[in-house]
């Protein structure tokens, strides 16, 4: 699976970036080829998906058994590679951190991406949840059925949300950081929860300069604890990778995966796969995410041969996305 965090790793925009050379990637699906001596519950030949602390973009991957899960019979390998990061992140934020319940409202940025689509699907499992989403306008037609109210990512969504819901929203899920932090907090209802789970605005590149990177950080408003107390607001952060690999909460994640696979088997949720790419096409695949050209998840497939046509198509598609300001 290809995630925005992989772009951040590549550019060193994370705490303690790993030393090169390294193999990127944090999730994968495949077939069990070998087992450790004391491993129980799995057999050689099992179809599985797994979290990996780097090294996922490879033909052979080794990871502790606590991070491995069996794939349901009717789930494809590409769906399985699109499943763990996005759905566990979405589920934990909605139900473990923000305590989503019937009748609540949620604002999610990048509603067309892998996490955004997972959030929308999980919200639909709870009655009367209103989902506000921001996304590039060219994605709106494709995702309009999964989100209650959809706004252009460059529009003034704060005014639009307040026009529909005067009080604001119960939950804000922010993967952008920067100036959106203050906007998100301003939209929270009393007892609402704002969750920062990424900072994709920190990724620089052809459409981003170091100065826009610095400007984004400068616009992160300093949160005043007294103001939080006076306004009855909750501000939280969520990092699935830290929870798994630094804070040893694999058991907690296993319980969440069991619930998610149950929802999948009951046809309540289904990963959205944007496209499959050969390992040799990783540059083009990363550019597609960087330009926010994808709807759902991009997958690297080690068995896929490079297709020049696909790479050209992706460039055209990605150019349809608005450039960053």
């Amino acid at each position: 699976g290809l995630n925005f965090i992989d772009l951040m790793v590549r550019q060193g925009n994370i705490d303690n970036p790993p030393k090169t050379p390294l193999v990127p990637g944090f999730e994968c699906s495949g077939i069990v080829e070998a087992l450790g001596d004391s491993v129980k519950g799995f057999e050689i030949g099992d179809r599985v998906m797994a979290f990996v602390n780097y090294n996922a973009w490879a033909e052979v991957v080794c990871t502790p058994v606590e991070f491995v899960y069996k794939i349901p019979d009717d789930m494809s390998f590409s769906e399985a590679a699109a499943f763990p990061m996005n759905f566990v992140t979405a589920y934990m934020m909605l139900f473990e951190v923000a305590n989503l319940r019937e009748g609540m409202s949620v604002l999610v940025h990048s509603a067309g991406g892998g996490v955004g689509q997972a959030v929308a699907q999980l919200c639909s499992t709870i009655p009367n949840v209103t989902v506000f989403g921001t996304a590039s306008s060219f994605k709106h037609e494709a995702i309009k059925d999964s989100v209650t109210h959809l706004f252009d990512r460059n529009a003034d969504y704060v005014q639009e949300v307040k026009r529909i819901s005067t009080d604001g929203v119960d939950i804000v899920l922010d993967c952008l950081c920067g100036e959106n932090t203050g906007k998100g907090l301003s939209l929270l209802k009393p007892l609402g929860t704002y969750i920062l789970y990424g900072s994709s605005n920190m990724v620089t590149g052809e459409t981003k300069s170091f100065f826009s990177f610095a400007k984004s950080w400068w616009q992160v408003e300093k949160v005043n604890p007294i103001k939080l107390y006076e306004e009855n607001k909750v501000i939280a952060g969520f990092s699935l990778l830290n929870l798994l690999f630094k804070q040893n909460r694999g058991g907690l994640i296993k319980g969440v995966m069991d619930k998610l696979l149950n929802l999948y088997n009951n046809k309540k949720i289904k990963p959205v796969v944007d496209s499959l790419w050969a390992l040799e096409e990783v540059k083009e695949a990363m550019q597609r995410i960087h330009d926010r050209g994808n709807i759902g998840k991009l997958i690297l497939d080690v068995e896929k041969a490079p297709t020049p046509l696909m790479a050209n198509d992706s460039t055209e598609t990605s150019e349809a996305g608005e450039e960053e300001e």
Side-chain angles (χ1 to χ4, degrees), residues 9 18-24 54-55:
V9 168
K19 292 184 171 58
T20 54
L22 86 147
V23 177
Y54 294 103
N55 298 306

Side-chain angles (χ1 to χ4, degrees), residues 18-305:
K19 292 184 171 58
T20 54
L22 86 147
V23 177
F26 298 100
E27 65 183 334
C28 62
S29 65
I31 295 167
V32 175
E33 290 204 0
L35 301 167
D37 293 340
S38 57
V39 170
K40 293 183 174 58
F42 291 93
E43 293 178 6
I44 290 172
D46 281 350
R47 300 167 73 245
V48 295
M49 53 186 152
F51 291 108
V52 194
N53 194 10
Y54 294 103
N55 298 306
W57 300 354
E59 293 175 354
V60 179
V61 171
C62 185
T63 195
V65 67
E66 67 171 322
F67 303 135
V68 184
Y69 316 92
K70 287 185 180 170
I71 299 176
D73 291 341
D74 57 348
M75 185 186 276
S76 68
F77 282 118
S78 57
E79 282 183 328
F83 194 81
M85 285 276 285
N86 292 163
F87 275 96
V88 172
T89 295
Y91 187 96
M92 297 279 296
M93 291 193 299
L94 289 171
F95 298 108
E96 301 278 341
V97 182
N99 196 17
L100 177 67
R101 298 186 300 284
E102 182 175 348
M104 280 187 166
S105 54
V106 179
L107 168 66
V108 60
H109 293 300
S110 301
V115 175
Q117 286 294 287
V119 164
Q121 289 185 28
L122 288 169
C123 285
S124 71
T125 67
I126 305 295
N128 304 320
V129 171
T130 305
V131 181
F132 297 91
T134 69
S136 301
S137 54
F138 71 93
K139 297 185 185 183
H140 286 202
E141 185 59 33
I143 65 172
K144 66 179 192 301
D145 294 338
S146 65
V147 178
T148 324
H149 303 288
L150 198 51
F151 312 117
D152 188 292
R153 61 186 297 268
N154 294 316
D156 183 2
Y157 59 86
V158 173
Q159 294 311 313
E160 292 291 322
V161 171
K162 284 187 172 169
R163 188 173 54 78
I164 297 163
S165 174
T166 323
D167 292 348
V169 296
D170 296 293
I171 300 167
V172 175
L173 305 177
D174 180 10
C175 59
L176 301 175
C177 199
E179 62 189 88
N180 293 282
T181 307
K183 291 178 180 177
L185 279 168
S186 74
L187 278 172
L188 271 190
K189 291 181 183 178
L191 302 183
T193 305
Y194 164 95
I195 306 174
L196 181 70
Y197 70 98
S199 47
S200 61
N201 276 347
M202 301 299 124
V203 170
T204 58
E206 287 172 24
T207 59
K208 289 232 171 207
S209 68
F210 176 78
F211 296 104
S212 66
F213 168 81
K215 188 177 105 182
S216 284
W217 270 119
W218 187 250
Q219 287 170 334
V220 177
E221 295 194 10
K222 292 182 176 64
V223 176
N224 181 338
I226 303 295
K227 201 173 173 190
L228 287 178
Y229 142 76
E230 288 173 347
E231 295 180 355
N232 283 302
K233 291 181 178 179
V234 178
I235 185 165
F238 183 77
S239 163
L240 176 56
L241 295 176
N242 283 352
L243 207 59
L244 279 169
F245 302 123
K246 289 184 181 173
Q247 294 151 354
N248 304 317
R249 294 296 190 274
L252 173 64
I253 306 299
K254 169 103 176 58
V256 169
M257 277 294 278
D258 289 343
K259 291 173 186 168
L260 286 166
L261 290 172
N262 191 39
L263 286 170
Y264 177 86
N265 289 328
N266 288 322
K267 310 241 178 321
K268 297 280 177 66
I269 59 174
K270 186 178 174 66
V272 179
V273 176
D274 175 80
S275 47
L276 269 62
W277 303 77
L279 285 178
E280 294 88 342
E281 297 170 323
V282 68
K283 177 190 170 192
E284 291 84 357
M286 281 187 141
Q287 190 65 43
R288 184 168 171 80
I289 290 191
H290 177 279
D291 295 344
R292 294 172 169 81
N294 58 304
I295 295 168
K297 189 71 166 248
L298 277 76
I299 303 294
L300 296 176
D301 184 347
V302 297
E303 294 185 344
K304 186 178 181 302

